[in-house]
Amino acid sequence: MPIEQTLILVKPDGAHRKLTGLVIDRLDAAGLEMVAAKMTCVTEKLAREHYAALSDKPFFEGLIKYIRGEFHGIKDHRILALVYRGENAIKAVRAVAGATNPEQAAPGTIRGSFGRITTAQQFENVLHASSDPADAAREVALWFRKDEIIP
Ligand code: IDP
Ligand code: MG
């Protein structure tokens, strides 16, 4: 199986609800290795670049507000960004995370246990996880410099 790197973001609802440690525990338990971590400011530009492929979706503007912590009072728009590495890391992290829609995410997955849909139809699903090798490479390079990642 291929050794992959994948980007994880603990989203503002995850930070606000004190789920950061749980996310890290679940990823560690999946047998993956953390190779980069930082609290970083999600600028408007970074948020829009990260979610560029979704810019035509009706939920896009809400998603930009959400990832910048505007619904959760996150100071300075800070977020925890992580890179994990391991065999089939992209799929392994997606399995731990669960489906995008928290109502459809399997019980026991992070999103299935802790995600919710707000009355304004905002998906709050605790974490971001890259979805395929091309996305993972693009996203890791967007959030981290090379020298911030353990070789
Ligand atoms: P993913 O995060 O599981 O890869 P994507 O389809 O890439 O899912 O969507 C990115 C993020 O946009 C989701 O994690 C979620 O926060 C939000 N999102 C996706 N679909 C919807 C929707 O139908 N309504 C509201 N928010 C959505
Ligand atoms: Mg995605």
Side-chain angles (χ1 to χ4, degrees), residues 11 51 54 59 63 66 94 100 111 121 123 125 128-129:
K11 290 181 171 180
Y51 282 128
L54 300 175
F59 56 81
L63 177 58
Y66 165 45
R94 298 280 298 187
T100 303
R111 289 167 165 180
Q121 300 304 305
F123 286 14
N125 57 10
H128 168 80

Side-chain angles (χ1 to χ4, degrees), residues 6-14 23 27 47 49-54 63 66-67 79-84 89-90 93-94 96-100 110-111 123-132 135-140 142-144:
T6 186
L7 180 82
I8 292 98
L9 305 173
V10 178
K11 290 181 171 180
D13 56 318
V23 169
L27 297 175
E49 265 181 71
H50 177 75
Y51 282 128
L54 300 175
L63 177 58
Y66 165 45
I67 200 69
I79 204 173
L80 180 65
L82 307 165
V83 179
Y84 270 76
I90 297 167
V93 172
R94 298 280 298 187
V96 166
T100 303
I110 297 172
R111 289 167 165 180
F123 286 14
E124 294 186 351
N125 57 10
V126 188
L127 76 164
H128 168 80
S130 305
S131 59
D132 58 56
D135 256 8
R138 185 186 76 84
E139 292 174 359
V140 168
L142 183 62
W143 289 80
F144 287 90

Side-chain angles (χ1 to χ4, degrees), residues 24-75:
I24 291 172
D25 270 352
R26 296 281 179 92
L27 297 175
D28 287 348
L32 302 167
E33 182 191 13
M34 190 195 296
V35 292
K38 67 176 170 189
M39 292 298 298
T40 193
C41 179
V42 187
T43 61
E44 181 92 26
K45 182 170 179 279
L46 178 57
R48 288 178 185 279
E49 265 181 71
H50 177 75
Y51 282 128
L54 300 175
S55 61
D56 59 344
K57 301 285 186 198
F59 56 81
F60 183 69
E61 292 303 326
L63 177 58
I64 298 304
K65 286 199 174 80
Y66 165 45
I67 200 69
R68 298 195 75 219
E70 291 181 17
F71 301 137
H72 297 89
I74 301 293
K75 199 179 165 201

